Amino acid sequence: MIPPGAVSPDIDIAALEEDLRATVRGEVRFDSGSRALYAADASNYRQVPIGVVLPRSVDDVVAAVAACRKHGAPVLSRGGGTSLCGQTCNVAIVLDFSRHMDQVLEIDPQRRIARVQPGLVLDRLREAAGAHGLTFAPDPATHTHNTLGGMIGNNSCGPHSVMGGETVHNVIELEVLTYDGLRLRVGRTDDEAFEALRQAGDRRAEIALRLKTLAERHAEAIRARYPPIPRRVSGYNLPALLPENGFDLARALVGSEGTCVVVLEATLRLLPDPKARSLLVLGYPTVYDAGDHVPEVMASGPIALEGMDDRLVSDITRSHIHPEDVKMLPQGGGWLLVEFGGDDQQEADARAHRLMDRLRHARNAPTMKLLDGPRQEACIWKVRESGLGATAHVPDQPITWEGWEDSSVPPERLGEYLRKLRALFDRYGYGCDLYGHFGQGCVHTRIDFDLETADGIAKFRRFLHDAAQLAVSLGGSISGEHGDGQSKAELLPLMFGEDLCGAFEEFKAIWDPEGRMNPGKIVHAYRPDENLRLGTGYRPQPVEAVLHFTADRGDFARSVLRCVGVGECRKKDGTMCPSYKATGEEMHSTRGRAHLLFEMLNGEREGGVLKGGWKEPAVKEALDLCLSCKGCKKECPVKVDMAAYKAEFLWHWYREHRRPLGAYAFGFVDRWARWAEHAPGVVRHASRSPLLAALAKRALGIAPGRRLPLVAERSFLRAFRADGASGRREVLLWPDTFNNHFHPGTAHAAAEVLRHAGFGVRVPAAPVCCGRPLYEFGFLDAARDYLRHVLRVLDEDLRRGTPIVVLEPACLSVFREELPLMLPRDEQAKRLQAQAVLLPDFLQDQAAGAAFAALTEHALVHGHCHHKTVLGFTAEEKLLRDRLHLDVDLPDTGCCGMAGSFGFEAAKYAVAQACGERVLLPAVRRTAPGTLIVADGFSCREQIAQSTGRQALHVAEVLARAIPR
């Protein structure tokens, strides 16, 4: 047998690729960029695959496995790639099911079952089932983007496994494919079905007979060594083979992490979804006290019971993640979040009140808070779900890692375990937070392991063994949710003994005699200190970065490590990663781009795959479709800043490559617009001339279907007249390039609104531009010059504290986001960052008494990406709803797709339109003709106008309409 995870020297990689391309309709990728993308998951581990296949059908999967079998290549099934123990990276052919095999095949509400493909995202199933009042109970934190195939592979759980059990309890039947080409359906096997199998005398019969013999031989050990606790995910599910459990081959395969078979289809159990929910938060002096009271709380029948400690809450606050939500917690140093379900709100609330009444009369009663409605409940759930983001990269603290992040014990011993676990952390000098699914005794944490030095790695391995001994001594499980993979496989003998571990090896061999299915995981496994993504070989290429990544000590390589691989960027809602939403390609997700940057910086290490450094084309290709939406700065749990990474990369890239002409046209649009101001009629005529416009588009790489924006006949600054001395407080209105030269009416409307609100309005004494377009082409030296010029022009106003009112969200985001990266130690830059504000925020904060007429119209409102993410949209929403009394429709439109020059470029036009057509553009087309369309971003308004023919208004223009006349 070939050693686990090794590629046999007999494998002809070129011939394997050729056979795959000849027989698979889906994509087959052996390029270095694709292999780099799939080299890591959400774990501490890294293994570069042989190649990647994105199958379109079951026939593709069968053909791919047949080609691998022909050449002796290992196979790895992969869904969302969110696994934490290394089970979704391997030196193998990766079958990524998430791209195409992602459908709900059937929902049967009468039988309460669903048939699904393995690449289906959990939330898509829950949406389909929800239409019938049903749900799939297990719901890991990655429910927006993890796949059912991955959940089956890992035996996933989540908060609501309290209600419906682990994934294994919700699997009815699987259609699977073995490495030797057998395709079969498996599930509960009664005596009659088993006898039919035995009589067949084929490979299926052999598997069934050998599994039956295995179960009979080890039955006593299985019953004795598998702990009877709510959360036990370690090891193979051999109890499913026992007669009292129906000799269920499907459930036996759940949690096998792709080491035995490829899952082709699953039939799943659905449960009634509670029609109403109530969330009760209990505060205890410490998390240990909270753990002690779990059995008492569980007796009240909640559908979820989560816990967290004061360290997590402190780190959430320090990391500025949902700081307002934390304030809603009742007093305490440890908390339990208790959710009840009911057929209506009254029933759910009554269950919560019964528990509260009982706890009030108990000794050491906790503080209590019953949340008032879904909005407050969502805020508290955000606090709990912030665990990974709040603990992975805490400011001024070491980076934390998984490794002992999902152990579980009997719930009645949870308090004892938490105390002893903290003592073990203290003995090793490790710091971490404690939180998790306390109702089922499962504890989550991330630990500040040193995974770069030999001593640190040896200490890490010793700790894992001591921690495993502790959990097992209390009747617990090494894994209560995330599985074994590589990180915990070495520990399995401590929990199950050598005899059962031998049974695990036999179980795998029955299904996979050649050992080619995800080798090196669970059995015959790598040690937890092998294949580390960091390790002693970690030595990223030194980077003299232009941007100062302050939050990461100015270290670009450390900043890239922010991505921990959980894949939140692959979700379908929100703003983050519009190009991933449009393409479904891993390389266009924040995670994919971060992984490529990591591989680029580490290309010279042993096993490095991207050797091009800052000239690496795979990185350039991935970053080209980044729209710099900054969604990752808000929605990524660890606040990856891909827009900044892109700008930094492009600065280095263009030191070795010639920029296209369009980069100068778009990057320095402020200069061209000022020059056009001297002859606007000529420029407008040229823009409208089909021949001249076509020539300009071809020269600049603009999509033929785009219209060139028309410069105004008279710019805002040419027409503006400053207010005379009036004794009123002055504000400086920022004349951004687009509202100055293209949409001057917006700026005039803003000036009118500010005067109505009682302010004197001035503009800067000299032409200024924030330089936003420069970042998209890596013009960082010019961008810094622009900012220094701005500080010089605004010098006196900055020292006087003059408010600077900005109309274009993309401009303000430069002052809030890029300015600290470009001029981190400049005090004037800090003043500009603090004094610049969007018009709605300024009016809400400084002009609450300004009267506006009620418009009482319907308004479809689209927020600019930067406005919704790094700036915050609350003030504008309140202004429109509460002060203008508009009937506001604020759909989850994500990114419009235009994003400055992005949507104009011919090479990106299709993706830009796909972004807009996802939600925004259809929503605009559905609105009645008289509906107000509100969009503050110039790019957003341009996309709406060019794609729908509708004219959107800036909020300043809407406010101007509401000034009493």
Side-chain angles (χ1 to χ4, degrees), residues 865-912:
C865 291
H866 296 185
H867 200 167
K868 292 182 289 192
T869 56
V870 297
L871 302 177
F873 201 74
T874 303
E876 177 155 334
E877 183 180 358
K878 287 183 176 180
L879 182 66
L880 295 172
R881 290 186 192 276
D882 301 342
R883 295 177 69 175
L884 301 190
H885 301 283
L886 286 167
D887 175 20
V888 172
D889 180 12
L890 191 63
D892 181 15
T893 49
C895 178
C896 74
M898 187 65 86
S901 64
F902 186 97
F904 282 96
E905 296 178 48
K908 302 170 183 177
Y909 176 77
V911 171

Short mmCIF file of all heavy atoms in Angstrom, two decimals, residues 865-912:
data_model
loop_
_atom_site.label_atom_id
_atom_site.label_comp_id
_atom_site.label_asym_id
_atom_site.label_seq_id
_atom_site.Cartn_x
_atom_site.Cartn_y
_atom_site.Cartn_z
N CYS A 865 -21.77 50.14 -1.38
CA CYS A 865 -21.08 49.09 -0.62
C CYS A 865 -20.33 49.65 0.58
O CYS A 865 -20.43 49.13 1.70
CB CYS A 865 -20.11 48.35 -1.53
SG CYS A 865 -20.89 47.34 -2.78
N HIS A 866 -19.54 50.70 0.37
CA HIS A 866 -18.75 51.26 1.47
C HIS A 866 -19.66 51.86 2.54
O HIS A 866 -19.32 51.84 3.72
CB HIS A 866 -17.79 52.32 0.94
CG HIS A 866 -16.77 51.79 -0.01
ND1 HIS A 866 -15.75 52.56 -0.52
CD2 HIS A 866 -16.59 50.56 -0.55
CE1 HIS A 866 -15.00 51.84 -1.33
NE2 HIS A 866 -15.51 50.62 -1.38
N HIS A 867 -20.78 52.39 2.12
CA HIS A 867 -21.73 52.98 3.05
C HIS A 867 -22.29 51.90 3.98
O HIS A 867 -22.39 52.09 5.20
CB HIS A 867 -22.86 53.64 2.26
CG HIS A 867 -23.64 54.66 3.02
ND1 HIS A 867 -24.51 55.53 2.42
CD2 HIS A 867 -23.68 54.95 4.34
CE1 HIS A 867 -25.06 56.31 3.34
NE2 HIS A 867 -24.58 55.98 4.50
N LYS A 868 -22.62 50.74 3.42
CA LYS A 868 -23.23 49.67 4.20
C LYS A 868 -22.21 48.93 5.07
O LYS A 868 -22.58 48.32 6.07
CB LYS A 868 -23.91 48.67 3.26
CG LYS A 868 -25.14 49.22 2.56
CD LYS A 868 -25.82 48.19 1.68
CE LYS A 868 -25.02 47.84 0.45
NZ LYS A 868 -25.80 47.05 -0.53
N THR A 869 -20.97 48.99 4.67
CA THR A 869 -19.98 48.16 5.37
C THR A 869 -19.14 48.97 6.35
O THR A 869 -19.37 48.93 7.55
CB THR A 869 -19.09 47.42 4.35
OG1 THR A 869 -18.48 48.37 3.47
CG2 THR A 869 -19.91 46.44 3.53
N VAL A 870 -18.20 49.75 5.85
CA VAL A 870 -17.26 50.41 6.76
C VAL A 870 -17.77 51.73 7.32
O VAL A 870 -17.22 52.25 8.29
CB VAL A 870 -15.89 50.64 6.07
CG1 VAL A 870 -15.26 49.31 5.73
CG2 VAL A 870 -16.04 51.50 4.82
N LEU A 871 -18.82 52.30 6.72
CA LEU A 871 -19.31 53.60 7.19
C LEU A 871 -20.56 53.48 8.05
O LEU A 871 -20.72 54.20 9.03
CB LEU A 871 -19.60 54.52 5.99
CG LEU A 871 -18.41 54.79 5.07
CD1 LEU A 871 -18.84 55.65 3.88
CD2 LEU A 871 -17.26 55.44 5.82
N GLY A 872 -21.45 52.59 7.70
CA GLY A 872 -22.68 52.42 8.45
C GLY A 872 -23.83 53.17 7.82
O GLY A 872 -23.75 54.37 7.56
N PHE A 873 -24.96 52.47 7.62
CA PHE A 873 -26.08 53.02 6.87
C PHE A 873 -27.24 53.45 7.78
O PHE A 873 -28.26 53.95 7.31
CB PHE A 873 -26.58 51.98 5.87
CG PHE A 873 -27.37 52.55 4.73
CD1 PHE A 873 -26.73 53.24 3.72
CD2 PHE A 873 -28.75 52.40 4.67
CE1 PHE A 873 -27.44 53.78 2.66
CE2 PHE A 873 -29.48 52.93 3.61
CZ PHE A 873 -28.82 53.63 2.61
N THR A 874 -27.10 53.26 9.08
CA THR A 874 -28.22 53.48 9.99
C THR A 874 -28.77 54.90 9.93
O THR A 874 -29.99 55.12 9.92
CB THR A 874 -27.80 53.15 11.43
OG1 THR A 874 -27.33 51.80 11.48
CG2 THR A 874 -28.96 53.31 12.40
N ALA A 875 -27.87 55.90 9.90
CA ALA A 875 -28.33 57.29 9.93
C ALA A 875 -29.18 57.62 8.72
O ALA A 875 -30.22 58.29 8.84
CB ALA A 875 -27.12 58.23 9.99
N GLU A 876 -28.78 57.17 7.55
CA GLU A 876 -29.57 57.47 6.35
C GLU A 876 -30.92 56.78 6.41
O GLU A 876 -31.96 57.39 6.06
CB GLU A 876 -28.83 57.06 5.08
CG GLU A 876 -29.65 57.31 3.83
CD GLU A 876 -28.82 57.50 2.58
OE1 GLU A 876 -27.66 57.93 2.69
OE2 GLU A 876 -29.35 57.24 1.49
N GLU A 877 -30.94 55.55 6.85
CA GLU A 877 -32.22 54.84 6.94
C GLU A 877 -33.18 55.55 7.90
O GLU A 877 -34.36 55.75 7.60
CB GLU A 877 -31.98 53.40 7.40
CG GLU A 877 -33.25 52.58 7.44
CD GLU A 877 -33.01 51.15 7.90
OE1 GLU A 877 -31.86 50.79 8.16
OE2 GLU A 877 -34.00 50.41 8.01
N LYS A 878 -32.67 55.97 9.07
CA LYS A 878 -33.51 56.68 10.03
C LYS A 878 -33.97 58.02 9.48
O LYS A 878 -35.12 58.44 9.69
CB LYS A 878 -32.75 56.88 11.34
CG LYS A 878 -32.58 55.61 12.16
CD LYS A 878 -31.89 55.89 13.49
CE LYS A 878 -31.82 54.64 14.34
NZ LYS A 878 -31.14 54.90 15.63
N LEU A 879 -33.10 58.72 8.78
CA LEU A 879 -33.44 60.01 8.20
C LEU A 879 -34.60 59.85 7.22
O LEU A 879 -35.58 60.62 7.25
CB LEU A 879 -32.22 60.59 7.51
CG LEU A 879 -32.36 61.98 6.87
CD1 LEU A 879 -32.59 63.04 7.93
CD2 LEU A 879 -31.11 62.31 6.06
N LEU A 880 -34.51 58.86 6.35
CA LEU A 880 -35.54 58.66 5.34
C LEU A 880 -36.86 58.19 5.96
O LEU A 880 -37.94 58.64 5.56
CB LEU A 880 -35.06 57.66 4.29
CG LEU A 880 -33.87 58.10 3.44
CD1 LEU A 880 -33.38 56.94 2.58
CD2 LEU A 880 -34.23 59.28 2.56
N ARG A 881 -36.76 57.30 6.94
CA ARG A 881 -37.98 56.75 7.54
C ARG A 881 -38.63 57.74 8.52
O ARG A 881 -39.84 58.00 8.46
CB ARG A 881 -37.67 55.45 8.28
CG ARG A 881 -37.30 54.26 7.41
CD ARG A 881 -37.17 53.01 8.26
NE ARG A 881 -36.55 51.91 7.57
CZ ARG A 881 -37.19 51.05 6.77
NH1 ARG A 881 -38.48 51.20 6.56
NH2 ARG A 881 -36.54 50.06 6.18
N ASP A 882 -37.82 58.25 9.44
CA ASP A 882 -38.37 58.99 10.58
C ASP A 882 -38.58 60.47 10.31
O ASP A 882 -39.49 61.07 10.88
CB ASP A 882 -37.46 58.81 11.80
CG ASP A 882 -37.30 57.36 12.20
OD1 ASP A 882 -38.13 56.54 11.77
OD2 ASP A 882 -36.34 57.03 12.94
N ARG A 883 -37.72 61.06 9.48
CA ARG A 883 -37.83 62.51 9.29
C ARG A 883 -38.51 62.88 7.97
O ARG A 883 -39.15 63.93 7.87
CB ARG A 883 -36.45 63.16 9.39
CG ARG A 883 -35.87 63.00 10.81
CD ARG A 883 -34.49 63.56 10.94
NE ARG A 883 -34.45 65.03 10.85
CZ ARG A 883 -33.35 65.75 11.02
NH1 ARG A 883 -32.20 65.13 11.31
NH2 ARG A 883 -33.38 67.06 10.92
N LEU A 884 -38.36 62.02 6.96
CA LEU A 884 -39.05 62.28 5.70
C LEU A 884 -40.30 61.43 5.55
O LEU A 884 -41.08 61.63 4.61
CB LEU A 884 -38.11 62.01 4.51
CG LEU A 884 -36.81 62.82 4.46
CD1 LEU A 884 -36.13 62.62 3.12
CD2 LEU A 884 -37.05 64.29 4.72
N HIS A 885 -40.49 60.48 6.46
CA HIS A 885 -41.69 59.62 6.48
C HIS A 885 -41.89 58.88 5.16
O HIS A 885 -43.03 58.69 4.71
CB HIS A 885 -42.92 60.46 6.83
CG HIS A 885 -42.81 61.15 8.16
ND1 HIS A 885 -42.99 60.49 9.35
CD2 HIS A 885 -42.50 62.44 8.47
CE1 HIS A 885 -42.81 61.33 10.35
NE2 HIS A 885 -42.50 62.52 9.85
N LEU A 886 -40.79 58.48 4.57
CA LEU A 886 -40.87 57.68 3.36
C LEU A 886 -41.17 56.23 3.70
O LEU A 886 -40.77 55.71 4.74
CB LEU A 886 -39.55 57.76 2.59
CG LEU A 886 -39.26 59.06 1.84
CD1 LEU A 886 -37.80 59.11 1.41
CD2 LEU A 886 -40.18 59.21 0.64
N ASP A 887 -41.87 55.58 2.81
CA ASP A 887 -42.10 54.14 2.91
C ASP A 887 -40.89 53.46 2.27
O ASP A 887 -40.83 53.28 1.05
CB ASP A 887 -43.39 53.78 2.19
CG ASP A 887 -43.64 52.27 2.17
OD1 ASP A 887 -43.04 51.56 2.99
OD2 ASP A 887 -44.41 51.82 1.30
N VAL A 888 -39.92 53.12 3.10
CA VAL A 888 -38.62 52.69 2.61
C VAL A 888 -38.57 51.19 2.37
O VAL A 888 -38.92 50.39 3.25
CB VAL A 888 -37.50 53.10 3.60
CG1 VAL A 888 -36.17 52.49 3.19
CG2 VAL A 888 -37.40 54.62 3.67
N ASP A 889 -38.15 50.81 1.20
CA ASP A 889 -37.85 49.42 0.86
C ASP A 889 -36.33 49.33 0.73
O ASP A 889 -35.73 49.97 -0.14
CB ASP A 889 -38.53 49.04 -0.44
CG ASP A 889 -38.26 47.59 -0.85
OD1 ASP A 889 -37.75 46.83 0.00
OD2 ASP A 889 -38.56 47.22 -2.00
N LEU A 890 -35.70 48.57 1.62
CA LEU A 890 -34.23 48.48 1.65
C LEU A 890 -33.82 47.03 1.45
O LEU A 890 -33.42 46.34 2.39
CB LEU A 890 -33.72 49.01 2.99
CG LEU A 890 -32.23 49.27 3.16
CD1 LEU A 890 -31.74 50.34 2.19
CD2 LEU A 890 -31.92 49.67 4.59
N PRO A 891 -33.94 46.51 0.23
CA PRO A 891 -33.60 45.11 0.00
C PRO A 891 -32.10 44.84 0.13
O PRO A 891 -31.29 45.77 0.09
CB PRO A 891 -34.07 44.86 -1.44
CG PRO A 891 -34.03 46.21 -2.08
CD PRO A 891 -34.36 47.20 -1.01
N ASP A 892 -31.77 43.57 0.31
CA ASP A 892 -30.36 43.17 0.43
C ASP A 892 -29.77 43.12 -0.98
O ASP A 892 -29.61 42.07 -1.58
CB ASP A 892 -30.28 41.81 1.12
CG ASP A 892 -28.84 41.34 1.29
OD1 ASP A 892 -27.92 42.17 1.14
OD2 ASP A 892 -28.65 40.14 1.57
N THR A 893 -29.44 44.31 -1.49
CA THR A 893 -29.02 44.43 -2.89
C THR A 893 -27.55 44.09 -3.10
O THR A 893 -27.11 43.94 -4.24
CB THR A 893 -29.28 45.86 -3.39
OG1 THR A 893 -28.75 46.79 -2.45
CG2 THR A 893 -30.77 46.10 -3.54
N GLY A 894 -26.77 44.03 -2.03
CA GLY A 894 -25.35 43.77 -2.22
C GLY A 894 -24.69 44.87 -3.01
O GLY A 894 -24.94 46.05 -2.80
N CYS A 895 -23.83 44.49 -3.95
CA CYS A 895 -23.10 45.45 -4.77
C CYS A 895 -23.81 45.65 -6.10
O CYS A 895 -24.31 44.69 -6.71
CB CYS A 895 -21.68 44.95 -5.00
SG CYS A 895 -20.68 46.02 -6.05
N CYS A 896 -23.84 46.90 -6.58
CA CYS A 896 -24.49 47.18 -7.86
C CYS A 896 -23.71 46.61 -9.03
O CYS A 896 -24.26 46.37 -10.10
CB CYS A 896 -24.67 48.69 -8.04
SG CYS A 896 -23.13 49.57 -8.42
N GLY A 897 -22.39 46.43 -8.84
CA GLY A 897 -21.56 45.87 -9.91
C GLY A 897 -20.75 46.88 -10.68
O GLY A 897 -19.79 46.52 -11.37
N MET A 898 -21.09 48.18 -10.57
CA MET A 898 -20.35 49.18 -11.34
C MET A 898 -19.00 49.46 -10.68
O MET A 898 -17.96 49.42 -11.34
CB MET A 898 -21.16 50.47 -11.47
CG MET A 898 -20.52 51.49 -12.40
SD MET A 898 -20.44 50.96 -14.11
CE MET A 898 -22.03 51.44 -14.72
N ALA A 899 -19.01 49.79 -9.39
CA ALA A 899 -17.79 49.92 -8.61
C ALA A 899 -16.72 50.75 -9.30
O ALA A 899 -15.64 50.29 -9.62
CB ALA A 899 -17.23 48.53 -8.27
N GLY A 900 -17.05 52.03 -9.55
CA GLY A 900 -16.09 52.90 -10.20
C GLY A 900 -15.88 52.49 -11.64
O GLY A 900 -16.81 52.39 -12.43
N SER A 901 -14.64 52.21 -11.99
CA SER A 901 -14.33 51.84 -13.37
C SER A 901 -14.66 50.39 -13.68
O SER A 901 -14.75 49.99 -14.85
CB SER A 901 -12.85 52.07 -13.64
OG SER A 901 -12.06 51.21 -12.83
N PHE A 902 -14.85 49.57 -12.65
CA PHE A 902 -14.99 48.12 -12.83
C PHE A 902 -16.05 47.79 -13.88
O PHE A 902 -15.81 47.02 -14.82
CB PHE A 902 -15.34 47.46 -11.49
CG PHE A 902 -15.37 45.96 -11.53
CD1 PHE A 902 -14.26 45.23 -11.13
CD2 PHE A 902 -16.49 45.27 -11.95
CE1 PHE A 902 -14.28 43.84 -11.15
CE2 PHE A 902 -16.52 43.89 -11.98
CZ PHE A 902 -15.41 43.18 -11.58
N GLY A 903 -17.24 48.36 -13.71
CA GLY A 903 -18.34 48.02 -14.60
C GLY A 903 -18.22 48.59 -15.99
O GLY A 903 -18.96 48.20 -16.89
N PHE A 904 -17.28 49.53 -16.18
CA PHE A 904 -17.05 50.08 -17.52
C PHE A 904 -16.09 49.22 -18.33
O PHE A 904 -16.11 49.25 -19.56
CB PHE A 904 -16.50 51.51 -17.42
CG PHE A 904 -17.54 52.54 -17.11
CD1 PHE A 904 -17.76 52.96 -15.81
CD2 PHE A 904 -18.33 53.09 -18.12
CE1 PHE A 904 -18.72 53.90 -15.52
CE2 PHE A 904 -19.29 54.03 -17.84
CZ PHE A 904 -19.50 54.44 -16.53
N GLU A 905 -15.23 48.47 -17.66
CA GLU A 905 -14.18 47.73 -18.36
C GLU A 905 -14.78 46.54 -19.11
O GLU A 905 -15.57 45.77 -18.57
CB GLU A 905 -13.13 47.25 -17.36
CG GLU A 905 -12.38 48.40 -16.69
CD GLU A 905 -11.37 47.91 -15.68
OE1 GLU A 905 -10.60 46.99 -16.01
OE2 GLU A 905 -11.35 48.43 -14.55
N ALA A 906 -14.39 46.40 -20.36
CA ALA A 906 -14.96 45.36 -21.21
C ALA A 906 -14.73 43.97 -20.63
O ALA A 906 -15.63 43.11 -20.68
CB ALA A 906 -14.36 45.45 -22.62
N ALA A 907 -13.56 43.73 -20.07
CA ALA A 907 -13.23 42.41 -19.56
C ALA A 907 -14.03 42.05 -18.31
O ALA A 907 -14.10 40.87 -17.94
CB ALA A 907 -11.73 42.33 -19.25
N LYS A 908 -14.64 43.05 -17.68
CA LYS A 908 -15.36 42.82 -16.42
C LYS A 908 -16.85 43.09 -16.55
O LYS A 908 -17.59 42.94 -15.57
CB LYS A 908 -14.75 43.69 -15.32
CG LYS A 908 -13.26 43.43 -15.11
CD LYS A 908 -12.62 44.46 -14.19
CE LYS A 908 -11.12 44.21 -14.08
NZ LYS A 908 -10.46 45.24 -13.26
N TYR A 909 -17.26 43.50 -17.71
CA TYR A 909 -18.65 43.92 -17.91
C TYR A 909 -19.65 42.83 -17.53
O TYR A 909 -20.65 43.08 -16.84
CB TYR A 909 -18.84 44.35 -19.36
CG TYR A 909 -20.27 44.74 -19.71
CD1 TYR A 909 -20.78 45.97 -19.33
CD2 TYR A 909 -21.08 43.86 -20.42
CE1 TYR A 909 -22.09 46.33 -19.65
CE2 TYR A 909 -22.39 44.20 -20.74
CZ TYR A 909 -22.88 45.43 -20.35
OH TYR A 909 -24.17 45.77 -20.66
N ALA A 910 -19.39 41.60 -17.97
CA ALA A 910 -20.34 40.50 -17.71
C ALA A 910 -20.50 40.27 -16.21
O ALA A 910 -21.61 40.05 -15.71
CB ALA A 910 -19.88 39.23 -18.41
N VAL A 911 -19.38 40.29 -15.48
CA VAL A 911 -19.45 40.09 -14.03
C VAL A 911 -20.16 41.26 -13.37
O VAL A 911 -20.97 41.09 -12.45
CB VAL A 911 -18.04 39.91 -13.44
CG1 VAL A 911 -18.07 39.91 -11.91
CG2 VAL A 911 -17.43 38.61 -13.95
N ALA A 912 -19.87 42.47 -13.85
CA ALA A 912 -20.53 43.65 -13.29
C ALA A 912 -22.05 43.55 -13.44
O ALA A 912 -22.80 43.85 -12.50
CB ALA A 912 -20.03 44.92 -13.97
#
